PDB file of all heavy atoms in Angstrom:
ATOM      1  N   SER A 124      24.767  19.622  31.970  1.00  0.00           N
ATOM      2  CA  SER A 124      25.699  20.117  32.936  1.00  0.00           C
ATOM      3  C   SER A 124      27.079  19.509  32.886  1.00  0.00           C
ATOM      4  O   SER A 124      27.225  18.392  32.497  1.00  0.00           O
ATOM      5  CB  SER A 124      25.073  19.893  34.402  1.00  0.00           C
ATOM      6  OG  SER A 124      23.830  20.318  34.609  1.00  0.00           O
ATOM      7  N   LYS A 125      28.106  20.241  33.298  1.00  0.00           N
ATOM      8  CA  LYS A 125      29.393  19.690  33.458  1.00  0.00           C
ATOM      9  C   LYS A 125      29.908  20.145  34.805  1.00  0.00           C
ATOM     10  O   LYS A 125      30.049  21.413  35.054  1.00  0.00           O
ATOM     11  CB  LYS A 125      30.411  20.188  32.364  1.00  0.00           C
ATOM     12  CG  LYS A 125      31.754  19.573  32.483  1.00  0.00           C
ATOM     13  CD  LYS A 125      32.566  19.837  31.291  1.00  0.00           C
ATOM     14  CE  LYS A 125      32.125  18.783  30.194  1.00  0.00           C
ATOM     15  NZ  LYS A 125      33.010  18.771  29.002  1.00  0.00           N
ATOM     16  N   ALA A 126      30.133  19.273  35.689  1.00  0.00           N
ATOM     17  CA  ALA A 126      30.467  19.603  37.109  1.00  0.00           C
ATOM     18  C   ALA A 126      31.857  19.112  37.417  1.00  0.00           C
ATOM     19  O   ALA A 126      32.308  18.041  37.003  1.00  0.00           O
ATOM     20  CB  ALA A 126      29.483  18.967  38.110  1.00  0.00           C
ATOM     21  N   LYS A 127      32.722  19.948  38.183  1.00  0.00           N
ATOM     22  CA  LYS A 127      34.056  19.605  38.428  1.00  0.00           C
ATOM     23  C   LYS A 127      34.258  19.570  39.923  1.00  0.00           C
ATOM     24  O   LYS A 127      33.836  20.393  40.702  1.00  0.00           O
ATOM     25  CB  LYS A 127      34.977  20.623  37.782  1.00  0.00           C
ATOM     26  CG  LYS A 127      34.855  20.714  36.323  1.00  0.00           C
ATOM     27  CD  LYS A 127      35.728  21.888  35.732  1.00  0.00           C
ATOM     28  CE  LYS A 127      35.451  22.013  34.183  1.00  0.00           C
ATOM     29  NZ  LYS A 127      36.160  23.160  33.699  1.00  0.00           N
ATOM     30  N   SER A 128      35.050  18.615  40.320  1.00  0.00           N
ATOM     31  CA  SER A 128      35.378  18.407  41.794  1.00  0.00           C
ATOM     32  C   SER A 128      36.679  19.316  42.082  1.00  0.00           C
ATOM     33  O   SER A 128      37.267  19.888  41.235  1.00  0.00           O
ATOM     34  CB  SER A 128      35.738  16.953  42.172  1.00  0.00           C
ATOM     35  OG  SER A 128      37.045  16.619  41.598  1.00  0.00           O
ATOM     36  N   GLY A 129      36.915  19.374  43.471  1.00  0.00           N
ATOM     37  CA  GLY A 129      38.158  19.980  43.856  1.00  0.00           C
ATOM     38  C   GLY A 129      39.252  19.053  43.575  1.00  0.00           C
ATOM     39  O   GLY A 129      39.123  18.062  42.796  1.00  0.00           O
ATOM     40  N   THR A 130      40.481  19.374  44.008  1.00  0.00           N
ATOM     41  CA  THR A 130      41.679  18.614  43.525  1.00  0.00           C
ATOM     42  C   THR A 130      41.914  17.553  44.509  1.00  0.00           C
ATOM     43  O   THR A 130      41.673  17.587  45.699  1.00  0.00           O
ATOM     44  CB  THR A 130      42.947  19.588  43.597  1.00  0.00           C
ATOM     45  OG1 THR A 130      43.143  20.078  44.961  1.00  0.00           O
ATOM     46  CG2 THR A 130      42.739  20.724  42.725  1.00  0.00           C
ATOM     47  N   PHE A 131      42.517  16.368  43.874  1.00  0.00           N
ATOM     48  CA  PHE A 131      42.919  15.239  44.622  1.00  0.00           C
ATOM     49  C   PHE A 131      44.361  15.012  44.229  1.00  0.00           C
ATOM     50  O   PHE A 131      44.849  15.491  43.223  1.00  0.00           O
ATOM     51  CB  PHE A 131      42.058  14.012  44.333  1.00  0.00           C
ATOM     52  CG  PHE A 131      40.620  14.122  44.783  1.00  0.00           C
ATOM     53  CD1 PHE A 131      39.570  14.792  44.046  1.00  0.00           C
ATOM     54  CD2 PHE A 131      40.285  13.531  45.949  1.00  0.00           C
ATOM     55  CE1 PHE A 131      38.388  14.951  44.503  1.00  0.00           C
ATOM     56  CE2 PHE A 131      38.940  13.633  46.489  1.00  0.00           C
ATOM     57  CZ  PHE A 131      38.069  14.217  45.710  1.00  0.00           C
ATOM     58  N   THR A 132      45.048  14.229  45.016  1.00  0.00           N
ATOM     59  CA  THR A 132      46.450  13.909  44.680  1.00  0.00           C
ATOM     60  C   THR A 132      46.608  13.001  43.505  1.00  0.00           C
ATOM     61  O   THR A 132      47.583  13.167  42.697  1.00  0.00           O
ATOM     62  CB  THR A 132      47.195  13.243  45.901  1.00  0.00           C
ATOM     63  OG1 THR A 132      46.438  12.036  46.252  1.00  0.00           O
ATOM     64  CG2 THR A 132      47.166  14.250  47.045  1.00  0.00           C
ATOM     65  N   SER A 133      45.653  11.998  43.382  1.00  0.00           N
ATOM     66  CA  SER A 133      45.820  11.149  42.219  1.00  0.00           C
ATOM     67  C   SER A 133      44.435  10.373  42.139  1.00  0.00           C
ATOM     68  O   SER A 133      43.654  10.417  43.046  1.00  0.00           O
ATOM     69  CB  SER A 133      46.880  10.097  42.460  1.00  0.00           C
ATOM     70  OG  SER A 133      46.637   9.246  43.517  1.00  0.00           O
ATOM     71  N   ALA A 134      44.412   9.547  41.155  1.00  0.00           N
ATOM     72  CA  ALA A 134      43.123   8.745  40.886  1.00  0.00           C
ATOM     73  C   ALA A 134      43.055   7.678  41.837  1.00  0.00           C
ATOM     74  O   ALA A 134      41.871   7.198  42.218  1.00  0.00           O
ATOM     75  CB  ALA A 134      43.178   8.164  39.518  1.00  0.00           C
ATOM     76  N   SER A 135      44.130   7.296  42.564  1.00  0.00           N
ATOM     77  CA  SER A 135      44.054   6.215  43.554  1.00  0.00           C
ATOM     78  C   SER A 135      43.860   6.717  44.998  1.00  0.00           C
ATOM     79  O   SER A 135      43.986   5.957  45.924  1.00  0.00           O
ATOM     80  CB  SER A 135      45.398   5.450  43.485  1.00  0.00           C
ATOM     81  OG  SER A 135      46.518   6.269  43.748  1.00  0.00           O
ATOM     82  N   GLU A 136      43.663   8.046  45.112  1.00  0.00           N
ATOM     83  CA  GLU A 136      43.458   8.533  46.473  1.00  0.00           C
ATOM     84  C   GLU A 136      42.125   8.051  47.038  1.00  0.00           C
ATOM     85  O   GLU A 136      41.082   7.970  46.430  1.00  0.00           O
ATOM     86  CB  GLU A 136      43.387  10.129  46.447  1.00  0.00           C
ATOM     87  CG  GLU A 136      43.144  10.732  47.847  1.00  0.00           C
ATOM     88  CD  GLU A 136      43.154  12.211  47.760  1.00  0.00           C
ATOM     89  OE1 GLU A 136      43.686  12.809  46.839  1.00  0.00           O
ATOM     90  OE2 GLU A 136      42.538  12.774  48.719  1.00  0.00           O
ATOM     91  N   VAL A 137      42.071   7.578  48.356  1.00  0.00           N
ATOM     92  CA  VAL A 137      40.933   7.141  48.962  1.00  0.00           C
ATOM     93  C   VAL A 137      40.100   8.318  49.296  1.00  0.00           C
ATOM     94  O   VAL A 137      40.588   9.285  49.903  1.00  0.00           O
ATOM     95  CB  VAL A 137      41.320   6.322  50.175  1.00  0.00           C
ATOM     96  CG1 VAL A 137      39.960   5.950  51.019  1.00  0.00           C
ATOM     97  CG2 VAL A 137      41.955   5.069  49.821  1.00  0.00           C
ATOM     98  N   VAL A 138      38.808   8.279  48.900  1.00  0.00           N
ATOM     99  CA  VAL A 138      37.923   9.374  49.066  1.00  0.00           C
ATOM    100  C   VAL A 138      37.147   9.348  50.342  1.00  0.00           C
ATOM    101  O   VAL A 138      36.992  10.299  51.035  1.00  0.00           O
ATOM    102  CB  VAL A 138      36.862   9.455  47.921  1.00  0.00           C
ATOM    103  CG1 VAL A 138      35.852  10.638  48.172  1.00  0.00           C
ATOM    104  CG2 VAL A 138      37.535   9.642  46.557  1.00  0.00           C
ATOM    105  N   SER A 139      36.694   8.118  50.737  1.00  0.00           N
ATOM    106  CA  SER A 139      35.892   7.898  52.000  1.00  0.00           C
ATOM    107  C   SER A 139      36.337   6.631  52.681  1.00  0.00           C
ATOM    108  O   SER A 139      36.555   5.622  52.103  1.00  0.00           O
ATOM    109  CB  SER A 139      34.455   7.904  51.679  1.00  0.00           C
ATOM    110  OG  SER A 139      33.687   7.658  52.796  1.00  0.00           O
ATOM    111  N   SER A 140      36.484   6.800  54.056  1.00  0.00           N
ATOM    112  CA  SER A 140      36.810   5.602  54.856  1.00  0.00           C
ATOM    113  C   SER A 140      35.675   4.790  55.240  1.00  0.00           C
ATOM    114  O   SER A 140      35.902   3.691  55.627  1.00  0.00           O
ATOM    115  CB  SER A 140      37.665   6.113  56.075  1.00  0.00           C
ATOM    116  OG  SER A 140      36.771   6.907  56.900  1.00  0.00           O
ATOM    117  N   THR A 141      34.535   5.304  54.993  1.00  0.00           N
ATOM    118  CA  THR A 141      33.201   4.596  55.316  1.00  0.00           C
ATOM    119  C   THR A 141      32.339   4.541  54.123  1.00  0.00           C
ATOM    120  O   THR A 141      32.432   5.399  53.212  1.00  0.00           O
ATOM    121  CB  THR A 141      32.581   5.174  56.521  1.00  0.00           C
ATOM    122  OG1 THR A 141      32.210   6.633  56.143  1.00  0.00           O
ATOM    123  CG2 THR A 141      33.370   5.282  57.743  1.00  0.00           C
ATOM    124  N   ALA A 142      31.442   3.535  54.121  1.00  0.00           N
ATOM    125  CA  ALA A 142      30.572   3.397  53.004  1.00  0.00           C
ATOM    126  C   ALA A 142      29.481   4.442  52.918  1.00  0.00           C
ATOM    127  O   ALA A 142      29.129   5.003  53.952  1.00  0.00           O
ATOM    128  CB  ALA A 142      29.911   2.068  52.963  1.00  0.00           C
ATOM    129  N   GLY A 143      28.930   4.735  51.798  1.00  0.00           N
ATOM    130  CA  GLY A 143      27.865   5.644  51.650  1.00  0.00           C
ATOM    131  C   GLY A 143      27.269   5.560  50.155  1.00  0.00           C
ATOM    132  O   GLY A 143      27.644   4.723  49.448  1.00  0.00           O
ATOM    133  N   THR A 144      26.435   6.547  49.848  1.00  0.00           N
ATOM    134  CA  THR A 144      25.775   6.554  48.508  1.00  0.00           C
ATOM    135  C   THR A 144      25.898   7.949  47.877  1.00  0.00           C
ATOM    136  O   THR A 144      25.551   8.975  48.594  1.00  0.00           O
ATOM    137  CB  THR A 144      24.398   6.146  48.643  1.00  0.00           C
ATOM    138  OG1 THR A 144      24.251   4.764  49.237  1.00  0.00           O
ATOM    139  CG2 THR A 144      23.717   6.104  47.357  1.00  0.00           C
ATOM    140  N   LEU A 145      26.229   8.025  46.693  1.00  0.00           N
ATOM    141  CA  LEU A 145      26.180   9.213  45.913  1.00  0.00           C
ATOM    142  C   LEU A 145      24.879   9.152  45.044  1.00  0.00           C
ATOM    143  O   LEU A 145      24.644   8.146  44.351  1.00  0.00           O
ATOM    144  CB  LEU A 145      27.370   9.470  45.028  1.00  0.00           C
ATOM    145  CG  LEU A 145      28.669   9.896  45.604  1.00  0.00           C
ATOM    146  CD1 LEU A 145      29.801   9.830  44.681  1.00  0.00           C
ATOM    147  CD2 LEU A 145      28.460  11.354  46.202  1.00  0.00           C
ATOM    148  N   THR A 146      24.071  10.233  45.074  1.00  0.00           N
ATOM    149  CA  THR A 146      22.860  10.241  44.248  1.00  0.00           C
ATOM    150  C   THR A 146      22.929  11.367  43.336  1.00  0.00           C
ATOM    151  O   THR A 146      23.295  12.525  43.566  1.00  0.00           O
ATOM    152  CB  THR A 146      21.597  10.478  45.168  1.00  0.00           C
ATOM    153  OG1 THR A 146      21.535   9.381  46.158  1.00  0.00           O
ATOM    154  CG2 THR A 146      20.283  10.448  44.277  1.00  0.00           C
ATOM    155  N   PHE A 147      22.672  10.985  41.983  1.00  0.00           N
ATOM    156  CA  PHE A 147      22.737  11.911  40.882  1.00  0.00           C
ATOM    157  C   PHE A 147      21.285  12.110  40.349  1.00  0.00           C
ATOM    158  O   PHE A 147      20.610  11.246  40.186  1.00  0.00           O
ATOM    159  CB  PHE A 147      23.551  11.463  39.732  1.00  0.00           C
ATOM    160  CG  PHE A 147      24.979  11.175  40.064  1.00  0.00           C
ATOM    161  CD1 PHE A 147      25.378  10.050  40.850  1.00  0.00           C
ATOM    162  CD2 PHE A 147      25.986  12.067  39.761  1.00  0.00           C
ATOM    163  CE1 PHE A 147      26.642   9.780  41.198  1.00  0.00           C
ATOM    164  CE2 PHE A 147      27.298  11.981  40.093  1.00  0.00           C
ATOM    165  CZ  PHE A 147      27.710  10.783  40.828  1.00  0.00           C
ATOM    166  N   ALA A 148      20.897  13.414  40.161  1.00  0.00           N
ATOM    167  CA  ALA A 148      19.481  13.709  39.736  1.00  0.00           C
ATOM    168  C   ALA A 148      19.534  14.953  38.903  1.00  0.00           C
ATOM    169  O   ALA A 148      20.398  15.804  38.958  1.00  0.00           O
ATOM    170  CB  ALA A 148      18.608  13.861  40.974  1.00  0.00           C
TER     171      ALA A 148
END
Side-chain angles (χ1 to χ4, degrees):
S124 306
K125 180 166 287 189
K127 302 173 185 176
S128 74
T130 61
F131 292 84
T132 58
S133 70
S135 59
E136 180 179 340
V137 174
V138 176
S139 176
S140 62
T141 56
T144 300
L145 283 173
T146 301
F147 298 81

